[in-house]
mmCIF file with all atom_site columns, all heavy atoms in Angstrom:
data_model
loop_
_atom_site.group_PDB
_atom_site.id
_atom_site.type_symbol
_atom_site.label_atom_id
_atom_site.label_alt_id
_atom_site.label_comp_id
_atom_site.label_asym_id
_atom_site.label_entity_id
_atom_site.label_seq_id
_atom_site.pdbx_PDB_ins_code
_atom_site.Cartn_x
_atom_site.Cartn_y
_atom_site.Cartn_z
_atom_site.occupancy
_atom_site.B_iso_or_equiv
_atom_site.pdbx_formal_charge
_atom_site.auth_seq_id
_atom_site.auth_comp_id
_atom_site.auth_asym_id
_atom_site.auth_atom_id
_atom_site.pdbx_PDB_model_num
ATOM 1   N N   . ASP A 1 254 ? -24.180 1.270   30.830 1.00 96.00 ? 254 ASP A N   1
ATOM 2   C CA  . ASP A 1 254 ? -24.721 0.494   31.911 1.00 96.00 ? 254 ASP A CA  1
ATOM 3   C C   . ASP A 1 254 ? -25.911 1.306   32.507 1.00 96.00 ? 254 ASP A C   1
ATOM 4   O O   . ASP A 1 254 ? -25.687 2.417   33.055 1.00 96.00 ? 254 ASP A O   1
ATOM 5   C CB  . ASP A 1 254 ? -23.701 0.238   32.971 1.00 96.00 ? 254 ASP A CB  1
ATOM 6   C CG  . ASP A 1 254 ? -24.191 -0.602  34.163 1.00 96.00 ? 254 ASP A CG  1
ATOM 7   O OD1 . ASP A 1 254 ? -25.387 -0.589  34.493 1.00 96.00 ? 254 ASP A OD1 1
ATOM 8   O OD2 . ASP A 1 254 ? -23.391 -1.325  34.792 1.00 96.00 ? 254 ASP A OD2 1
ATOM 9   N N   . ASP A 1 255 ? -27.132 0.864   32.291 1.00 86.00 ? 255 ASP A N   1
ATOM 10  C CA  . ASP A 1 255 ? -28.286 1.581   32.760 1.00 86.00 ? 255 ASP A CA  1
ATOM 11  C C   . ASP A 1 255 ? -28.915 0.822   33.967 1.00 86.00 ? 255 ASP A C   1
ATOM 12  O O   . ASP A 1 255 ? -29.586 -0.172  33.785 1.00 86.00 ? 255 ASP A O   1
ATOM 13  C CB  . ASP A 1 255 ? -29.299 1.702   31.603 1.00 86.00 ? 255 ASP A CB  1
ATOM 14  C CG  . ASP A 1 255 ? -30.532 2.533   32.069 1.00 86.00 ? 255 ASP A CG  1
ATOM 15  O OD1 . ASP A 1 255 ? -30.486 3.226   33.114 1.00 86.00 ? 255 ASP A OD1 1
ATOM 16  O OD2 . ASP A 1 255 ? -31.588 2.433   31.369 1.00 86.00 ? 255 ASP A OD2 1
ATOM 17  N N   . LYS A 1 256 ? -28.648 1.322   35.192 1.00 83.00 ? 256 LYS A N   1
ATOM 18  C CA  . LYS A 1 256 ? -29.193 0.742   36.409 1.00 83.00 ? 256 LYS A CA  1
ATOM 19  C C   . LYS A 1 256 ? -28.896 -0.775  36.496 1.00 83.00 ? 256 LYS A C   1
ATOM 20  O O   . LYS A 1 256 ? -29.740 -1.560  36.830 1.00 83.00 ? 256 LYS A O   1
ATOM 21  C CB  . LYS A 1 256 ? -30.722 0.970   36.436 1.00 83.00 ? 256 LYS A CB  1
ATOM 22  C CG  . LYS A 1 256 ? -30.998 2.489   36.511 1.00 83.00 ? 256 LYS A CG  1
ATOM 23  C CD  . LYS A 1 256 ? -32.539 2.772   36.549 1.00 83.00 ? 256 LYS A CD  1
ATOM 24  C CE  . LYS A 1 256 ? -32.825 4.248   36.503 1.00 83.00 ? 256 LYS A CE  1
ATOM 25  N NZ  . LYS A 1 256 ? -34.261 4.541   36.508 1.00 83.00 ? 256 LYS A NZ  1
ATOM 26  N N   . GLY A 1 257 ? -27.669 -1.129  36.193 1.00 90.00 ? 257 GLY A N   1
ATOM 27  C CA  . GLY A 1 257 ? -27.343 -2.506  36.366 1.00 90.00 ? 257 GLY A CA  1
ATOM 28  C C   . GLY A 1 257 ? -27.523 -3.365  35.101 1.00 90.00 ? 257 GLY A C   1
ATOM 29  O O   . GLY A 1 257 ? -27.207 -4.573  35.166 1.00 90.00 ? 257 GLY A O   1
ATOM 30  N N   . GLN A 1 258 ? -28.001 -2.819  34.046 1.00 94.00 ? 258 GLN A N   1
ATOM 31  C CA  . GLN A 1 258 ? -28.239 -3.576  32.810 1.00 94.00 ? 258 GLN A CA  1
ATOM 32  C C   . GLN A 1 258 ? -27.393 -3.074  31.723 1.00 94.00 ? 258 GLN A C   1
ATOM 33  O O   . GLN A 1 258 ? -27.354 -1.834  31.449 1.00 94.00 ? 258 GLN A O   1
ATOM 34  C CB  . GLN A 1 258 ? -29.732 -3.536  32.419 1.00 94.00 ? 258 GLN A CB  1
ATOM 35  C CG  . GLN A 1 258 ? -30.695 -4.056  33.431 1.00 94.00 ? 258 GLN A CG  1
ATOM 36  C CD  . GLN A 1 258 ? -30.514 -5.528  33.622 1.00 94.00 ? 258 GLN A CD  1
ATOM 37  O OE1 . GLN A 1 258 ? -30.346 -6.291  32.632 1.00 94.00 ? 258 GLN A OE1 1
ATOM 38  N NE2 . GLN A 1 258 ? -30.560 -6.029  34.850 1.00 94.00 ? 258 GLN A NE2 1
ATOM 39  N N   . ILE A 1 259 ? -26.639 -3.964  31.029 1.00 97.00 ? 259 ILE A N   1
ATOM 40  C CA  . ILE A 1 259 ? -25.807 -3.535  29.848 1.00 97.00 ? 259 ILE A CA  1
ATOM 41  C C   . ILE A 1 259 ? -26.796 -3.069  28.739 1.00 97.00 ? 259 ILE A C   1
ATOM 42  O O   . ILE A 1 259 ? -27.814 -3.725  28.456 1.00 97.00 ? 259 ILE A O   1
ATOM 43  C CB  . ILE A 1 259 ? -24.991 -4.692  29.340 1.00 97.00 ? 259 ILE A CB  1
ATOM 44  C CG1 . ILE A 1 259 ? -24.042 -5.233  30.451 1.00 97.00 ? 259 ILE A CG1 1
ATOM 45  C CG2 . ILE A 1 259 ? -24.178 -4.300  28.139 1.00 97.00 ? 259 ILE A CG2 1
ATOM 46  C CD1 . ILE A 1 259 ? -23.043 -4.215  30.948 1.00 97.00 ? 259 ILE A CD1 1
ATOM 47  N N   . HIS A 1 260 ? -26.472 -1.938  28.127 1.00 97.00 ? 260 HIS A N   1
ATOM 48  C CA  . HIS A 1 260 ? -27.277 -1.383  27.052 1.00 97.00 ? 260 HIS A CA  1
ATOM 49  C C   . HIS A 1 260 ? -27.557 -2.510  26.018 1.00 97.00 ? 260 HIS A C   1
ATOM 50  O O   . HIS A 1 260 ? -26.651 -3.169  25.496 1.00 97.00 ? 260 HIS A O   1
ATOM 51  C CB  . HIS A 1 260 ? -26.472 -0.308  26.368 1.00 97.00 ? 260 HIS A CB  1
ATOM 52  C CG  . HIS A 1 260 ? -27.342 0.506   25.419 1.00 97.00 ? 260 HIS A CG  1
ATOM 53  N ND1 . HIS A 1 260 ? -27.769 -0.019  24.204 1.00 97.00 ? 260 HIS A ND1 1
ATOM 54  C CD2 . HIS A 1 260 ? -27.742 1.786   25.384 1.00 97.00 ? 260 HIS A CD2 1
ATOM 55  C CE1 . HIS A 1 260 ? -28.439 0.923   23.545 1.00 97.00 ? 260 HIS A CE1 1
ATOM 56  N NE2 . HIS A 1 260 ? -28.482 2.025   24.250 1.00 97.00 ? 260 HIS A NE2 1
ATOM 57  N N   . PRO A 1 261 ? -28.799 -2.847  25.780 1.00 97.00 ? 261 PRO A N   1
ATOM 58  C CA  . PRO A 1 261 ? -29.208 -4.015  24.938 1.00 97.00 ? 261 PRO A CA  1
ATOM 59  C C   . PRO A 1 261 ? -28.540 -3.971  23.499 1.00 97.00 ? 261 PRO A C   1
ATOM 60  O O   . PRO A 1 261 ? -28.153 -5.046  23.003 1.00 97.00 ? 261 PRO A O   1
ATOM 61  C CB  . PRO A 1 261 ? -30.659 -4.029  24.956 1.00 97.00 ? 261 PRO A CB  1
ATOM 62  C CG  . PRO A 1 261 ? -31.108 -2.676  25.311 1.00 97.00 ? 261 PRO A CG  1
ATOM 63  C CD  . PRO A 1 261 ? -30.061 -2.166  26.207 1.00 97.00 ? 261 PRO A CD  1
ATOM 64  N N   . ARG A 1 262 ? -28.564 -2.839  22.893 1.00 98.00 ? 262 ARG A N   1
ATOM 65  C CA  . ARG A 1 262 ? -27.977 -2.731  21.531 1.00 98.00 ? 262 ARG A CA  1
ATOM 66  C C   . ARG A 1 262 ? -26.562 -2.991  21.608 1.00 98.00 ? 262 ARG A C   1
ATOM 67  O O   . ARG A 1 262 ? -25.944 -3.686  20.755 1.00 98.00 ? 262 ARG A O   1
ATOM 68  C CB  . ARG A 1 262 ? -28.345 -1.349  20.937 1.00 98.00 ? 262 ARG A CB  1
ATOM 69  C CG  . ARG A 1 262 ? -27.759 -1.123  19.541 1.00 98.00 ? 262 ARG A CG  1
ATOM 70  C CD  . ARG A 1 262 ? -28.333 -2.045  18.485 1.00 98.00 ? 262 ARG A CD  1
ATOM 71  N NE  . ARG A 1 262 ? -27.937 -1.583  17.133 1.00 98.00 ? 262 ARG A NE  1
ATOM 72  C CZ  . ARG A 1 262 ? -27.840 -2.435  16.118 1.00 98.00 ? 262 ARG A CZ  1
ATOM 73  N NH1 . ARG A 1 262 ? -28.169 -3.727  16.255 1.00 98.00 ? 262 ARG A NH1 1
ATOM 74  N NH2 . ARG A 1 262 ? -27.466 -1.989  14.923 1.00 98.00 ? 262 ARG A NH2 1
ATOM 75  N N   . PHE A 1 263 ? -25.831 -2.334  22.474 1.00 98.00 ? 263 PHE A N   1
ATOM 76  C CA  . PHE A 1 263 ? -24.412 -2.548  22.671 1.00 98.00 ? 263 PHE A CA  1
ATOM 77  C C   . PHE A 1 263 ? -24.123 -4.020  22.966 1.00 98.00 ? 263 PHE A C   1
ATOM 78  O O   . PHE A 1 263 ? -23.160 -4.586  22.305 1.00 98.00 ? 263 PHE A O   1
ATOM 79  C CB  . PHE A 1 263 ? -23.896 -1.663  23.816 1.00 98.00 ? 263 PHE A CB  1
ATOM 80  C CG  . PHE A 1 263 ? -22.499 -1.940  24.323 1.00 98.00 ? 263 PHE A CG  1
ATOM 81  C CD1 . PHE A 1 263 ? -21.408 -1.658  23.525 1.00 98.00 ? 263 PHE A CD1 1
ATOM 82  C CD2 . PHE A 1 263 ? -22.304 -2.519  25.538 1.00 98.00 ? 263 PHE A CD2 1
ATOM 83  C CE1 . PHE A 1 263 ? -20.123 -1.951  23.970 1.00 98.00 ? 263 PHE A CE1 1
ATOM 84  C CE2 . PHE A 1 263 ? -21.024 -2.872  25.979 1.00 98.00 ? 263 PHE A CE2 1
ATOM 85  C CZ  . PHE A 1 263 ? -19.943 -2.522  25.236 1.00 98.00 ? 263 PHE A CZ  1
ATOM 86  N N   . LYS A 1 264 ? -24.889 -4.628  23.799 1.00 98.00 ? 264 LYS A N   1
ATOM 87  C CA  . LYS A 1 264 ? -24.689 -6.036  24.140 1.00 98.00 ? 264 LYS A CA  1
ATOM 88  C C   . LYS A 1 264 ? -24.802 -6.900  22.865 1.00 98.00 ? 264 LYS A C   1
ATOM 89  O O   . LYS A 1 264 ? -23.981 -7.780  22.615 1.00 98.00 ? 264 LYS A O   1
ATOM 90  C CB  . LYS A 1 264 ? -25.688 -6.457  25.164 1.00 98.00 ? 264 LYS A CB  1
ATOM 91  C CG  . LYS A 1 264 ? -25.604 -7.862  25.607 1.00 98.00 ? 264 LYS A CG  1
ATOM 92  C CD  . LYS A 1 264 ? -26.583 -8.156  26.826 1.00 98.00 ? 264 LYS A CD  1
ATOM 93  C CE  . LYS A 1 264 ? -26.417 -9.559  27.386 1.00 98.00 ? 264 LYS A CE  1
ATOM 94  N NZ  . LYS A 1 264 ? -26.891 -10.598 26.416 1.00 98.00 ? 264 LYS A NZ  1
ATOM 95  N N   . ALA A 1 265 ? -25.799 -6.670  22.067 1.00 98.00 ? 265 ALA A N   1
ATOM 96  C CA  . ALA A 1 265 ? -26.055 -7.521  20.902 1.00 98.00 ? 265 ALA A CA  1
ATOM 97  C C   . ALA A 1 265 ? -24.937 -7.249  19.904 1.00 98.00 ? 265 ALA A C   1
ATOM 98  O O   . ALA A 1 265 ? -24.436 -8.260  19.219 1.00 98.00 ? 265 ALA A O   1
ATOM 99  C CB  . ALA A 1 265 ? -27.421 -7.140  20.272 1.00 98.00 ? 265 ALA A CB  1
ATOM 100 N N   . LEU A 1 266 ? -24.464 -6.057  19.707 1.00 98.00 ? 266 LEU A N   1
ATOM 101 C CA  . LEU A 1 266 ? -23.438 -5.769  18.693 1.00 98.00 ? 266 LEU A CA  1
ATOM 102 C C   . LEU A 1 266 ? -22.117 -6.384  19.113 1.00 98.00 ? 266 LEU A C   1
ATOM 103 O O   . LEU A 1 266 ? -21.370 -6.925  18.305 1.00 98.00 ? 266 LEU A O   1
ATOM 104 C CB  . LEU A 1 266 ? -23.271 -4.282  18.521 1.00 98.00 ? 266 LEU A CB  1
ATOM 105 C CG  . LEU A 1 266 ? -24.399 -3.605  17.710 1.00 98.00 ? 266 LEU A CG  1
ATOM 106 C CD1 . LEU A 1 266 ? -24.250 -2.089  17.770 1.00 98.00 ? 266 LEU A CD1 1
ATOM 107 C CD2 . LEU A 1 266 ? -24.402 -4.058  16.271 1.00 98.00 ? 266 LEU A CD2 1
#
Side-chain angles (χ1 to χ4, degrees):
D254 183 331
D255 183 17
K256 298 178 181 178
Q258 299 295 318
I259 302 295
H260 190 293
R262 177 66 172 155
F263 168 70
K264 182 174 183 291
L266 287 171

